[in-house]
Amino acid sequence: MKNSFRWLMACLYIAFFSILVFPRVVTSYRGAYASICTNVKDEGTYLLEFILYHHWIGFGKIYVMDYNSSRPLFNLRMLMPFIRSGIVEYHYDADPKHHSHERGRLFVEYSQGTAFQRCIDFAHRDHVWMAFIDADEYIVLHDYEGGRPNITDFLRGYEKYPGLAVNMRVFGSSGHIRRPEAGTLEAYTKCTPSSAYENRHIKTIGRLSQVLSIGGNPHEFRYFNAAHKAVNERGIPIQGPMSLPVSWDKIVLHHYVTRSLSEFVFKMQRGPGGSQNKRNMDWFKAYDGNATEICTEGVPLWRVCCASKYASMLAALRRSTKQGSARVVRGT
């Protein structure tokens, strides 16, 4: 009852605030057509991979919402080329008042919920679309013409909807004990079948003129018109944080939830961002055991788009810091 009352009051506050600040739906935008909001903590050079790839497929702006990473100055130095070019906007927040550490709180009170809501608040007039995804998640397009996927061309076909829900495809460790030298898209090829329960989950690419606020989890959102629903790639409205049947014909979200064994151990130590559901080795074994299929579609994408650029940026970063790779490459 207590949480229900708090959630009702939060919704009333957001609705009242929206009436005052957003008296009518936004019909134009000032920045990139498609953007990303991602909440991170100690992701290290994974961010380089994530940004290089998603910018290559057409995302013009990426908001990196950093909550309490242990090396913010390193992150800032690493991201500076993207910040200077306007691709990345970096926000660092270590204020514990903004992020709950208690179980059973509202999603908006956790770091991921706080980050997503802030992106909505300050960027709602700047972009048509915003994808709310994590740094271990990669949007992969199947439906495109020519040799290069383009998220702008793809999303234009969904502008009549308030949001596009993209089914996940979860990947395991692919047998890696330590972080491999290759990028994530290339290194991890063992994936789960469509029947795996976790692939029902979706992440949302929201049409910002229609997005009112985050929902009760990182998967779904509330829209100005309460009757409107996000749809999956087939145009079928979704209910809650899942979409059935699992559909990957046009677009899929690769979720590298474990990566290698050592990286998963680091993730356990780092702690969760969206709730207080802590990971353990049983979690790793379950995800890794379910990855019984082979998915190689990320391999050519990474090699064409980013492999050489990533290698050169990583080498420059190591030279500039005058440190060994074991210290520079965090998240391992």
Side-chain angles (χ1 to χ4, degrees):
M1 287 295 294
K2 184 178 178 181
N3 275 345
S4 297
F5 177 76
R6 289 169 56 206
W7 179 245
L8 175 61
M9 294 303 295
C11 289
L12 289 174
Y13 171 79
I14 291 172
F16 178 72
F17 182 79
S18 299
I19 292 172
L20 293 178
V21 180
F22 317 130
R24 59 177 177 268
V25 171
V26 178
T27 57
S28 62
Y29 63 99
R30 301 177 296 202
Y33 178 82
S35 62
I36 291 175
C37 177
T38 186
N39 180 55
V40 304
K41 182 177 181 179
D42 287 327
E43 291 288 347
T45 54
Y46 293 135
L47 283 174
L48 292 181
E49 301 180 48
F50 180 87
I51 293 165
L52 284 169
Y53 171 75
H54 284 100
H55 181 60
W56 181 73
I57 67 170
F59 284 98
K61 192 77 169 185
I62 299 174
Y63 297 89
V64 176
M65 311 298 285
D66 187 340
Y67 175 61
N68 204 25
S69 283
S70 60
R71 303 177 68 198
L73 292 180
F74 171 80
N75 289 343
L76 194 59
R77 185 187 306 115
M78 176 180 65
L79 297 177
M80 191 54 66
F82 301 112
I83 295 171
R84 286 174 175 162
S85 67
I87 297 169
V88 166
E89 186 169 311
Y90 178 72
H91 296 258
Y92 183 77
D93 180 12
D95 190 340
K97 293 185 297 184
H98 298 160
H99 308 276
S100 174
H101 294 282
E102 300 176 9
R103 294 180 64 88
R105 304 296 293 271
L106 301 176
F107 175 62
V108 71
E109 297 176 293
Y110 295 114
S111 60
Q112 190 178 35
T114 299
F116 283 1
Q117 186 60 51
R118 285 181 171 178
C119 283
I120 295 169
D121 292 342
F122 62 62
H124 70 281
R125 293 182 183 272
D126 292 336
H127 315 286
V128 176
W129 296 95
M130 179 173 281
F132 297 87
I133 60 177
D134 298 330
D136 61 357
E137 297 171 342
Y138 286 70
I139 293 172
V140 174
L141 294 174
H142 295 153
D143 185 20
Y144 62 91
E145 296 180 357
R148 181 169 178 171
N150 188 300
I151 193 66
T152 294
D153 291 344
F154 181 79
L155 289 175
R156 290 197 190 281
Y158 292 88
E159 287 187 351
K160 64 181 178 180
Y161 302 111
L164 174 63
V166 184
N167 274 116
M168 293 182 179
R169 187 162 205 175
V170 174
F171 284 66
S173 70
S174 297
H176 294 292
I177 303 300
R178 298 186 180 277
R179 180 175 181 172
E181 287 296 322
T184 298
L185 281 164
E186 182 176 2
Y188 298 97
T189 56
K190 294 198 69 175
C191 56
T192 51
S194 59
S195 58
Y197 178 82
E198 53 266 26
N199 292 329
R200 300 180 182 186
H201 283 95
I202 56 94
K203 283 294 182 71
T204 298
I205 308 176
R207 189 156 65 90
L208 287 179
S209 65
Q210 302 297 310
V211 175
L212 174 62
S213 70
I214 59 170
N217 55 65
H219 309 280
E220 56 182 327
F221 293 78
R222 289 176 169 79
Y223 303 101
F224 280 98
N225 188 331
H228 289 176
K229 303 288 185 182
V231 300
N232 69 3
E233 63 174 25
R234 302 179 185 180
I236 301 172
I238 66 160
Q239 298 291 333
M242 299 184 180
S243 177
L244 282 173
V246 172
S247 182
W248 299 320
D249 294 336
K250 300 178 181 180
I251 186 171
V252 61
L253 187 71
H254 285 192
H255 188 187
Y256 299 94
V257 65
T258 68
R259 290 195 174 102
S260 69
L261 176 59
S262 63
E263 291 166 284
F264 185 80
V265 170
F266 177 84
K267 183 181 286 190
M268 286 195 300
Q269 296 169 344
R270 184 183 63 196
S275 70
Q276 293 303 303
N277 296 323
K278 295 183 179 181
R279 305 172 180 91
N280 54 44
M281 287 308 301
D282 288 338
W283 188 325
F284 176 87
K285 293 174 182 176
Y287 280 113
D288 206 41
N290 286 337
T292 58
E293 297 191 354
I294 301 297
C295 300
T296 58
E297 59 192 347
V299 176
L301 290 173
W302 178 252
R303 290 176 179 174
V304 171
C305 87
C306 314
S308 60
K309 179 69 173 177
Y310 174 68
S312 63
M313 292 188 73
L314 197 60
L317 186 64
R318 286 168 174 167
R319 289 194 300 269
S320 69
T321 56
K322 297 181 181 180
Q323 297 174 336
S325 61
R327 292 193 63 189
V328 172
V329 181
R330 298 287 294 180
T332 60

